[in-house]
Amino acid sequence: MKSDFDVIISGAGPAGCTAALALGSSGLSVALIEKERFPREKVCGDAIPAYVPKVLGTIDPSFRAALEEIEDKQPVSICRYVAPDRTALDIAFRENGMVCRRPVFDSFLLKLASGLDNLTIFTGKLIKNIRTGSKGVAVSTGNGEEITARLLIGCDGSTGVSKRILAPSIHEPSEGSVAVRAYFSGIKDNPHETLEFHFLKDLLPGYFWIFPLPGNEFNAGIGMPSAIVTSRKLNLRDTMMKIIETDPVIGLRFSGASMKGNIKGYYLPLFTRKRKISGERFMLCGDAASLVNPATGAGIGQAMQSGRYAGWQAAECFRKNDFSDEFMKSYDLTLYGKLWRSNRNYMIIRNLVLKNPAVLNLASRAGNSNRYIRKALAEKL
Ligand SMILES: Cc1cc2nc3c(=O)[nH]c(=O)nc-3n(C[C@H](O)[C@H](O)[C@H](O)COP(=O)(O)OP(=O)(O)OC[C@H]3O[C@@H](n4cnc5c(N)ncnc54)[C@H](O)[C@@H]3O)c2cc1C
């Protein structure tokens, strides 16, 4: 088996597969190395942002068309915010999003990538170590094998190896969030095609979500900044069960529901500031670059956007034969140029709105009584 490539991509989640797709027509030889075998579970709310088809379409229109063909997905057209005083505000998406279980969505992306002639996919291969030097990179895998390349794109998630070795200073657990989720059937009174966010007073600045899946199943969960989970000494699984069993509104809706499997949790590395996410011979993407929305906890779209830009930047590195720290900075600049402005607004929401029940109540009432406010909010989604 070939062991020397132009580019190594570590991790085959949304960031890694999108980076591979973006390199599809580059003529470069690419290795995508993933520790799991697909379909693999990924703890997530499964809500795929509405702009994801566009990200794929800008790489190749046929990728966007292929996404439409996924059958096991639930379209969503409305976002419902339920304020602490239980006032509900419905905002129609400008474009429909979807909810799709991650094993289905991630396998779709990997299958799409597997059609690329220039890509070699290694699954079931854990990367244990990464070495970078002036001439290239070398990764060593669990069984002692070494794979080399001129450049590495680190897409191995929040607890992966690339962030830990190549940019240890950007791993800041106290600046992240933690979230837990479980699958249910039999939840009552579900609004049609709606993502529900419940801002319960005792859970702020966190929230409880209910997202619809095909077949009248649901992904429900809660998320909260990890610093608050620690300071309040919370066990999020217990907190979630308590809400399901005792909350006067949510409890009633879950009264006949059954949970499928267990409640599972994971860490979310939030995009709280600009960090240095590239260096000589490497770039980091998605959760490895801490790009999760600080207010909503969504990260799939940013993972795919960063994967796409990293793929394009990699092709540029080969065209110019420049892999220097200085040249890589254009990846950071392009990505932050695209994401930072709207992210700053989400930071304001996180710092000023989500902590304050009175402001959330007011926002919900104002949105219900004023269509211009609803329109402005819809534009932000
Ligand atoms: C509970 C919860 C709910 C969430 N809900 C949503 C949501 O509804 N919508 C949304 O947009 N975002 C959501 N997110 C965030 C979203 O899951 C992530 O932002 C997204 O998965 C990031 O994609 P990624 O490709 O960067 O990383 P990942 O999806 O984590 O993929 C990384 C890949 O790298 C592999 N890997 C890791 N280490 C190694 C190694 N050493 N060697 C080889 N391979 C390795 C992993 O197996 C994995 O396949 C949620 C997160 C959590 C925890």
Side-chain angles (χ1 to χ4, degrees):
M1 180 71 93
K2 182 172 157 68
S3 65
D4 184 47
F5 296 84
D6 292 320
V7 182
I8 291 172
I9 301 170
S10 61
C17 284
T18 311
L21 292 171
L23 279 163
S25 55
S26 64
L28 300 170
S29 62
V30 182
L32 178 61
I33 309 176
E34 164 61 48
K35 73 179 162 83
E36 304 288 342
R37 293 195 190 277
F38 277 41
R40 60 103 175 80
E41 187 183 30
K42 165 77 183 102
V43 178
C44 188
D46 301 327
I48 314 294
Y51 65 86
V52 158
K54 269 191 207 147
V55 176
L56 288 175
T58 54
I59 300 172
D60 186 326
S62 72
F63 297 158
R64 180 177 186 157
L67 182 67
E68 306 293 327
E69 302 301 315
I70 298 181
E71 283 179 10
D72 197 9
K73 64 176 190 276
Q74 169 66 46
V76 280
S77 53
I78 292 172
C79 206
R80 173 169 290 183
Y81 293 98
V82 183
D85 66 1
R86 310 287 178 167
T87 324
L89 171 65
D90 285 354
I91 299 167
F93 289 122
R94 280 182 304 167
E95 284 173 77
N96 282 4
M98 64 169 162
V99 186
C100 180
R101 290 173 191 270
R102 286 293 298 273
V104 175
F105 182 69
D106 290 16
S107 296
F108 157 78
L109 288 177
L110 187 62
K111 186 159 176 250
L112 209 54
S114 70
L116 302 171
D117 294 337
N118 65 331
L119 184 69
T120 307
I121 299 174
F122 299 90
T123 55
K125 242 187 222 314
L126 172 80
I127 298 175
K128 282 201 149 172
N129 197 16
I130 301 171
R131 283 183 291 116
T132 57
S134 57
K135 295 218 163 59
V137 293
V139 304
S140 33
T141 64
N143 54 8
E145 182 187 5
E146 192 163 84
I147 300 175
T148 52
R150 309 289 81 70
L151 178 73
L152 178 117
I153 305 181
C155 303
D156 43 50
S158 57
T159 55
V161 63
S162 59
K163 178 195 281 192
R164 182 164 47 80
I165 292 177
L166 300 172
S169 63
I170 72 169
H171 182 56
E172 301 135 318
S174 62
E175 282 198 35
S177 270
V178 275
V180 295
R181 67 93 175 104
Y183 292 104
F184 294 86
S185 60
I187 303 176
K188 292 195 269 282
D189 303 330
N190 308 291
H192 187 59
E193 289 194 359
T194 299
L195 296 180
E196 295 181 64
F197 296 85
H198 295 258
F199 295 95
L200 306 173
K201 191 160 173 275
D202 293 339
L203 203 56
L204 297 179
Y207 62 82
F208 186 100
W209 76 77
I210 305 173
F211 296 163
L213 281 160
N216 209 24
E217 297 199 334
F218 299 87
N219 180 318
I222 57 174
M224 193 179 267
S226 36
I228 292 183
V229 173
T230 308
S231 68
R232 291 187 198 167
K233 296 192 173 63
L234 291 176
N235 175 321
L236 282 194
R237 287 183 184 82
D238 295 348
T239 308
M240 179 169 164
M241 282 317 292
K242 194 171 161 210
I243 293 167
I244 285 169
E245 284 164 7
T246 64
D247 181 82
V249 176
I250 292 174
L252 273 184
R253 290 183 57 196
F254 277 78
S255 56
S258 51
M259 189 163 83
K260 308 203 153 182
N262 303 320
I263 300 179
K264 293 195 174 162
Y266 212 68
Y267 171 72
L268 295 100
L270 300 183
F271 187 10
T272 48
R273 57 202 160 81
K274 292 181 189 174
R275 301 166 169 103
K276 189 172 183 312
I277 51 173
S278 67
E280 186 180 15
R281 303 228 171 237
F282 79 88
M283 288 169 273
L284 301 179
C285 305
D287 281 10
S290 300
L291 293 177
V292 173
N293 184 306
T296 67
I300 296 168
Q302 298 91 308
M304 294 178 68
Q305 280 179 308
S306 55
R308 179 187 59 175
Y309 287 127
W312 288 345
Q313 170 71 21
E316 199 55 23
C317 290
F318 281 89
R319 265 194 291 274
K320 301 265 164 63
N321 193 26
D322 192 341
F323 304 87
S324 64
D325 182 61
E326 192 57 32
F327 193 63
M328 289 303 176
K329 277 184 191 152
S330 47
Y331 165 67
D332 301 37
L333 282 174
T334 308
L335 184 66
Y336 288 141
K338 182 81 186 162
L339 299 184
W340 180 245
R341 210 160 149 218
S342 69
N343 194 69
R344 215 175 35 195
N345 294 336
Y346 283 109
M347 285 295 290
I348 294 169
I349 293 173
R350 167 191 140 109
N351 293 335
L352 299 178
V353 180
L354 296 185
K355 288 179 181 159
N356 192 328
V359 175
L360 281 163
N361 292 339
L362 193 70
S364 177
R365 289 210 200 109
N368 273 311
S369 59
N370 187 322
R371 71 190 166 95
Y372 294 106
I373 294 180
R374 279 200 303 283
K375 195 166 166 250
L377 288 169
E379 273 159 21
K380 299 277 171 235
L381 291 176

